[in-house]
């Protein structure tokens, strides 16, 4: 039996692409190993969203080079966004690589491996698929692993927004949605194999169904349809752009019990001039209006976001506007980044006037603020009962399981391991809170 070692950097789309490659390779005789040294094939699925992600990849490849030197039969592939962006450059930089694939070439992983075996000449496959539609063909038969109780389903790929700081529209191409029927089928299949919660995935899920579908339906209708699938207990989605987030979707939150009370809605900055330079095409006030409306329909909704500090030209006062918005909205958690110029994006041509030291100070300051906001909210759960979907074993000493409540807080659970199992939805009394998580006893 051949063995494949898979490493993933970056977003959930990449995690989903890695899972897909694992499935395809499983059906051509490869089993996944956690040990690089045992592998016949090593694939590194890369991310180019910020410079740091790229540096991590280069340092991993530095460690892989000796494996290839001692075992020339080892096949080494670089996949994902760095490949898309800089395919030939990657081969030049790392001549020991066998191939480079872009994110649209995931379905061709088996052919790529076969080509290496036949020709032994390094190659780059980074074409975007020219089909208007996005389809993930079903592979029937055994699965390499049981689906997680909380499973991701890609509904749309690519992004047409072209925010000035972002590389994604260049690495992942134009927006394309999958046919609703294909989605229902995949979700039914996951539920049949134990999934309870489905997280709909895409760079901008709210843009789902805008064009190219045989049976076009808007995103909110897709939510209503999926919520009807028997056996589904919870529904989530990520990630959204405020401009495509409709009133109908707010109504879906109100109407659908299964649509959990959590929304990840990136704001990026709390200042209108910076938002304009970022080409986000909305104002802070418009964002706030959406949130107010959502909170009036779903008062216990938790909100998370993405924020960039140190965008070119960001003044101290503009940065303070971001702090104000964070406080006003009261995010339960945020992904916070220091701006990283990405070659080829419009913002990389702007004068990057914020010194590195200021960027890092600002980052520390918003992290501090977010920690306080998180603490305040996490503490309010003490003594309360929350509903948790058990996802697996807990790594926290003294706790048997881990899971999440509808608001997406991580919960560690104490309970009888013979009585409960992953996939169960249980009521939990919260005894303790720490950092970003809750812990308690299953009732
Ligand atoms: N620099 C810093 N952060 C970035 N993001 C995207 N591009 C950049 C960049 N060039 C962040 C945004 C986005 C998240 C996925 O990554 O906040 O929402
Ligand atoms: Fe990037 Fe903007 Fe598209 Fe999000 S919406 S993937 S930040 S271009």
């Amino acid at each position: 039996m051949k063995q494949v070692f898979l490493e993933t950097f970056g977003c959930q789309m990449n995690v989903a692409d890695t899972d897909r490659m694992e499935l395809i390779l499983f059906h051509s005789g490869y089993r996944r190993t956690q040990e690089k040294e045992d592998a016949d094939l090593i694939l590194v699925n890369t991310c180019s969203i910020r410079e740091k992600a790229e540096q991590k990849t280069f340092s991993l490849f530095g460690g892989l080079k000796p494996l290839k030197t001692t075992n020339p039969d080892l096949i080494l592939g670089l996949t994902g966004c760095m490949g898309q962006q800089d395919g030939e450059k990657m081969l030049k930089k790392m001549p020991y690589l066998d191939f480079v694939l872009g994110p649209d070439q995931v379905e061709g992983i088996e052919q790529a491996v076969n080509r290496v075996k036949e020709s032994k000449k390094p190659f780059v496959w980074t074409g975007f698929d020219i089909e208007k539609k996005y389809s993930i063909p079903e592979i029937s038969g055994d699965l390499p692993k049981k689906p997680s109780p909380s499973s991701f389903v890609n509904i749309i790929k690519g992004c047409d927004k072209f925010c000035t700081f972002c590389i994604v529209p260049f690495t992942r191409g134009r927006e394309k949605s999958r046919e609703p029927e294909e989605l229902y089928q995949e979700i039914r299949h996951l539920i049949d194999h134990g999934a309870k919660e489905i997280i709909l995935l895409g760079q901008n899920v709210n843009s789902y169904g805008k064009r190219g579908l045989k049976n076009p339906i808007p995103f909110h209708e897709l939510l209503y349809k999926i919520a009807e699938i028997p056996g589904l207990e919870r529904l989530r989605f990520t990630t959204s752009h405020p401009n495509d987030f409709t009133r109908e979707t707010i109504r879906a939150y109100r109407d659908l019990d299964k649509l959990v009370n959590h929304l990840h809605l990136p704001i990026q900055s709390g200042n209108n001039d910076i938002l304009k330079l970022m080409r986000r095409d909305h104002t802070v006030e418009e964002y706030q209006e959406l949130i107010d409306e959502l909170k009036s329909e779903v008062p216990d909704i938790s909100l998370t976001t993405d924020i960039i500090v140190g965008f070119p030209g960001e003044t101290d006062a503009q940065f303070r506007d971001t702090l104000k918005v964070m406080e006003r909205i009261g995010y339960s958690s945020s992904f916070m980044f220091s701006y990283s110029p990405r070659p080829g994006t419009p913002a990389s041509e702007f004068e990057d006037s914020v010194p590195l030291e200021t960027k890092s100070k600002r980052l520390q300051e918003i992290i501090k603020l977010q920690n306080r906001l998180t603490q305040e909210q996490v503490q309010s759960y003490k003594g309360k009962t929350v509903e948790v979907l058990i996802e697996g074993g807990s790594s926290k000493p003294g706790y048997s399981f881990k899971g999440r409540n509808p608001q997406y807080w991580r919960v560690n659970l104490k309970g009888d391991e013979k009585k409960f199992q992953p996939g169960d939805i249980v009521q939990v009394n919260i005894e303790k809170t720490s950092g970003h998580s809750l812990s308690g006893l299953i009732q």
Side-chain angles (χ1 to χ4, degrees), residues 47-250:
C47 167
S48 51
I49 195 96
R50 284 169 294 276
E51 202 184 339
K52 226 188 199 158
E54 295 191 343
Q55 285 161 353
K56 279 196 218 155
T57 302
F58 288 129
S59 97
L60 174 69
F61 271 107
L64 295 177
K65 190 180 170 188
L67 293 179
K68 180 78 178 175
T69 316
T70 48
N71 172 17
D73 289 336
L74 171 68
I75 301 176
L76 207 51
L78 182 152
T79 65
C81 292
M82 280 170 76
Q84 188 67 41
Q85 195 62 1
D86 284 318
E88 293 294 344
K89 248 203 218 156
M90 293 296 134
L91 282 191
K92 279 218 183 82
K93 208 174 158 100
M94 297 177 282
Y96 49 93
L97 269 177
D98 290 296
F99 63 85
V100 173
L101 300 191
D104 263 10
Q105 307 295 329
V106 167
E107 292 296 318
I109 186 63
E110 190 184 350
Q111 288 87 313
V113 171
N114 289 338
R115 177 164 159 184
V116 176
K117 287 179 186 160
E118 282 156 22
S119 78
K120 307 240 181 257
K121 261 224 229 79
F123 60 91
V124 175
W125 284 354
T126 49
F128 282 121
D129 75 33
I130 45 165
E131 283 285 315
K132 276 244 167 342
K133 271 191 258 124
Y134 169 32
S135 173
I136 303 183
E138 194 191 345
I139 298 177
S140 55
D142 292 344
L143 295 171
K145 58 185 179 218
K146 207 171 140 49
S148 162
S150 172
S151 286
F152 287 94
V153 172
N154 278 8
I155 64 167
I156 180 170
K157 70 173 173 181
C159 181
D160 292 353
K161 284 280 181 279
F162 288 93
C163 301
T164 55
F165 53 80
C166 187
I167 197 85
V168 168
F170 304 97
T171 57
R172 295 224 166 229
R174 301 288 59 75
E175 282 174 3
K176 287 175 192 173
S177 302
R178 287 173 74 192
E179 285 294 339
E181 277 310 326
E182 191 178 293
L183 298 175
Y184 307 148
Q185 195 175 338
E186 181 173 337
I187 292 169
R188 281 195 296 261
H189 178 79
L190 287 167
I191 290 172
D192 285 350
H193 288 82
K196 295 287 162 60
E197 173 177 284
I198 296 293
I199 309 180
L200 306 178
L201 197 60
Q203 239 72 47
N204 181 11
V205 289
N206 304 85
S207 215
Y208 176 83
K210 277 196 180 154
R211 58 173 176 274
L213 288 179
K214 214 162 54 214
N215 300 305
I217 61 167
F219 178 64
H220 66 273
E221 271 183 40
L222 184 74
L223 293 175
Y224 282 88
K225 286 274 197 307
I226 292 176
E228 284 170 14
I229 297 178
L232 178 78
E233 302 283 350
R234 285 179 175 183
L235 184 57
R236 302 182 187 274
F237 56 83
T238 193
T239 181
S240 304
H241 189 291
N243 283 1
D244 295 314
F245 196 85
T246 59
R247 262 60 193 179
E248 287 88 347
T249 306
I250 294 183

Side-chain angles (χ1 to χ4, degrees), residues 1 210 335 405 437:
M1 187 71 63
K210 277 196 180 154
F335 293 109
N405 78 341
S437 65

Side-chain angles (χ1 to χ4, degrees), residues 270 272 275 282-290 292 328:
N272 285 337
L275 285 177
H282 66 78
T283 60
V284 176
E285 292 72 25
E286 283 160 346
Y287 182 99
Q288 181 77 51
E289 233 173 80
L290 262 180
D292 290 345
R328 203 163 59 231

Side-chain angles (χ1 to χ4, degrees), residues 11 48-51 163-168 203 239-240 264 266-268 278 280 305-309 311 335-342 345 347:
C11 65
S48 51
I49 195 96
R50 284 169 294 276
E51 202 184 339
C163 301
T164 55
F165 53 80
C166 187
I167 197 85
V168 168
Q203 239 72 47
T239 181
S240 304
H264 183 75
I267 185 163
Q268 313 294 2
M278 288 177 161
R280 293 292 287 179
T305 200
D306 293 349
I307 293 172
I308 298 176
V309 298
F311 187 79
F335 293 109
M336 295 161 279
F337 311 104
S338 170
Y339 171 70
S340 165
R342 302 286 68 213
T345 59

Side-chain angles (χ1 to χ4, degrees), residues 350-414:
F350 301 171
E351 199 192 333
D352 194 358
S353 55
V354 184
L356 219 62
E357 199 187 324
T358 311
K359 281 185 187 169
S360 113
K361 259 205 208 128
R362 288 182 187 166
L363 187 61
Q364 292 315 313
E365 204 171 334
I366 54 165
I367 291 175
K368 204 166 137 209
L369 169 60
Q370 185 56 61
N371 281 343
R372 175 167 65 74
L373 296 173
T374 302
Q375 274 307 304
E376 283 165 13
Q377 292 179 47
V378 91
Q379 275 164 17
S380 72
Y381 277 102
K382 228 185 216 159
K384 298 220 170 97
T385 302
V386 300
E387 184 203 88
V388 177
L389 168 64
I390 304 181
E391 288 173 24
S394 173
S395 56
K396 194 176 158 105
Y399 290 84
S400 0
F401 302 109
K402 67 171 183 191
R404 288 191 188 269
N405 78 341
Q407 283 83 359
Y408 212 56
W409 291 96
R410 167 67 63 216
V411 190
N412 292 294
L413 317 169
K414 276 184 196 160

